[in-house]
Amino acid sequence: MRVLLVGSGGREHALAWKLTRSPLLTELHAAPGNPGIARLGDCHPVLADDAEAVLALARSLAAELVVVGPEVPLVGGLADVLRTNGVAVFGPGRGAAAIEGSKSFAKAVMRAAGVPTARDLPRPLAPCVLKADGLAAGKGVVVCHTQSEVEAGLSELVDHPGPLVVEELLEGEEVSLFALCDGLDATALPAARDFKRAFDGDAGPNTGGMGSFSPVPGVDSDEVEDLVDRVHRPVLGELARRGMPFVGTLFAGVMLTPSGPRVLEFNCRFGAPETQSLVPVLEGDLLEACAAAAQGSLGARPLPPPKEAAVTVVVTAGRYPADGNHGSEISGVEEAEATGAHVFHAGTALRDGALVTNGGRVLNVTATGSSLAEARAAAYDAVARISFDGARYRTDIAAAASRLGGQLRSDLYT
């Protein structure tokens, strides 16, 4: 099967790595891809959000499946352009992708589907959560415990287009839940957890993600399946009822509160950096599943539970998320990979044959092991071998889960 992967980040590099493990794959192409993906397939200088150019590329390659990674082209309607021109695509159309593109639309769908979520608040008074209504690259959410944090959050979000959503502040354990969807049903993937804040101890501003791990201890496959029943399948049904069936990866951020699970947000694609931890432990053929979903024939086929754990540490520019790093030479990637770790490229480029920085989140280093503690130790061993000017990373990714011996508070799942 000839596959065109759309995107250029760490998520797409991880997906490319997993797709190349499928016996069904004959050719892998990417638009535009990155230096890491270029080691796995052919990259083409086509922007992900240029729908007509992506369509022309898919036609010229005779692509049998297009897998769309980022949210911006999905919310912009790329999948619709491809489908209406006879190209099979794994990714929702514009209507269904609004589940991520508009917080207010997502809340309306959840209310209609009976999916539990945070209460809307009439005014921004602490404690609360402020959310930009539209896409914000994972940075449009401000958690406010005090009124001074509310004032700072309002200033931070003032430039985001669209209305501001104000929600109650929920407490509990947060998990990322992914399901592959064919428009009518869903296949659950293992749970993951990401780390959004810039600094150790969950301090600092929100980012696109500083690390992740999968699976989540205490949230086993039966519990994941139950949560998909409560959260994903009702939303799939409501979107189908509205004439906008969801085909692709439906990602729910869920808070496991003492009163039961509450959805924090929906995304219309694989998350980053959760995907980088998820795919190395994912059992089964991802390409086969994506192709079946694109054809509307995936159903709810279960995937085997993971046999290993994975931990991902994101290496960023020194001033991220305020600023990126461009043009600094990167060293140590081969040494890190020699330990057995995966180094997924997120913000890199080639300059005169040398690998250099090209963004805020530069590299995602993922290691696997028989336990979270083993995977974590291996990930940090690999990270220590990588360097570039101003390189920074959190040192506490998966630390608490490892110390707990793999157990979360069981009272949070009811």
Side-chain angles (χ1 to χ4, degrees), residues 13 39 332-345 382 385:
H13 189 183
R39 295 162 57 187
V333 170
E334 291 183 359
E335 290 85 347
E337 291 175 329
T339 69
H342 304 282
V343 181
F344 296 122
H345 294 227
R385 301 164 193 267

Side-chain angles (χ1 to χ4, degrees), residues 123-128 144-154:
R123 298 183 304 280
L125 296 176
C128 67
C144 306
H145 296 276
T146 66
Q147 200 58 31
S148 62
E149 290 177 333
V150 170
E151 299 306 321
L154 291 173

Side-chain angles (χ1 to χ4, degrees), residues 62-408:
E64 295 166 275
L65 178 68
V66 177
V67 177
V68 184
E71 63 273 22
V72 172
L74 289 170
V75 172
L78 172 60
D80 296 315
V81 171
L82 294 168
R83 284 196 184 95
T84 56
N85 285 278
V87 179
V89 57
F90 181 79
R94 185 197 301 267
I99 199 78
E100 177 171 1
S102 167
K103 297 287 191 300
S104 0
F105 175 78
K107 298 285 276 197
V109 169
M110 283 188 274
R111 283 194 295 268
V115 172
T117 185
R119 289 184 299 108
D120 288 334
L121 300 180
R123 298 183 304 280
L125 296 176
C128 67
V129 178
L130 307 178
K131 296 182 177 181
D133 188 59
L135 296 178
K139 305 167 195 170
V141 176
V142 181
V143 177
C144 306
H145 296 276
T146 66
Q147 200 58 31
S148 62
E149 290 177 333
V150 170
E151 299 306 321
L154 291 173
S155 298
E156 180 180 335
L157 298 178
V158 69
D159 293 328
H160 285 282
L164 184 71
V165 177
V166 184
E167 293 180 347
E168 66 174 321
L169 176 60
L170 298 173
E171 300 290 347
E173 303 280 358
E174 187 176 345
V175 295
S176 299
L177 295 174
F178 300 87
L180 307 180
C181 307
D182 64 4
L184 296 175
D185 213 335
T187 291
L189 303 183
R193 173 167 296 150
D194 75 328
F195 294 77
K196 296 181 176 65
R197 298 297 186 110
F199 307 119
D200 285 6
D202 288 330
N206 264 5
T207 72
M210 295 296 294
S212 63
F213 64 85
S214 181
V216 177
V219 187
D220 64 20
S221 56
D222 289 339
E223 292 166 332
V224 167
E225 185 63 32
D226 182 65
L227 284 167
V228 169
D229 262 341
R230 297 195 201 192
V231 170
H232 296 70
R233 292 191 176 100
V235 164
L236 288 178
E238 177 61 22
L239 289 173
R241 188 188 68 77
R242 294 175 181 225
M244 46 185 74
F246 189 103
V247 175
T249 302
L250 184 59
F251 162 17
V254 178
M255 186 73 80
L256 304 179
T257 78
S259 302
R262 299 287 184 271
V263 174
L264 301 175
E265 64 176 356
F266 276 107
N267 292 322
C268 64
R269 36 71 191 184
F270 279 103
E274 294 99 327
T275 302
Q276 291 87 308
S277 290
L278 183 61
V279 297
V281 301
L282 186 63
E283 298 289 325
D285 190 327
L286 181 61
L287 176 53
E288 181 183 25
C290 291
Q295 295 163 5
S297 59
L298 177 63
R301 63 177 76 176
L303 295 174
K307 298 175 182 176
E308 290 189 304
V311 172
T312 297
V313 180
V314 179
V315 186
T316 76
R319 298 189 62 241
Y320 176 78
D323 199 3
N325 185 323
H326 301 269
S328 295
E329 189 165 345
I330 303 168
S331 64
V333 170
E334 291 183 359
E335 290 85 347
E337 291 175 329
T339 69
H342 304 282
V343 181
F344 296 122
H345 294 227
T348 67
L350 289 175
R351 186 181 63 189
D352 299 327
L355 185 68
V356 299
T357 59
N358 190 40
R361 290 189 293 177
V362 178
L363 295 168
N364 306 159
V365 181
T366 302
T368 59
S370 60
S371 66
L372 276 177
E374 184 178 303
R376 182 175 186 274
Y380 277 106
D381 176 55
V383 165
R385 301 164 193 267
I386 294 173
S387 64
F388 56 84
D389 185 34
R392 181 173 64 81
Y393 54 88
R394 281 183 57 163
T395 65
D396 61 349
I397 303 301
S402 298
R403 287 195 301 268
L404 288 171
Q407 293 302 314
L408 297 180

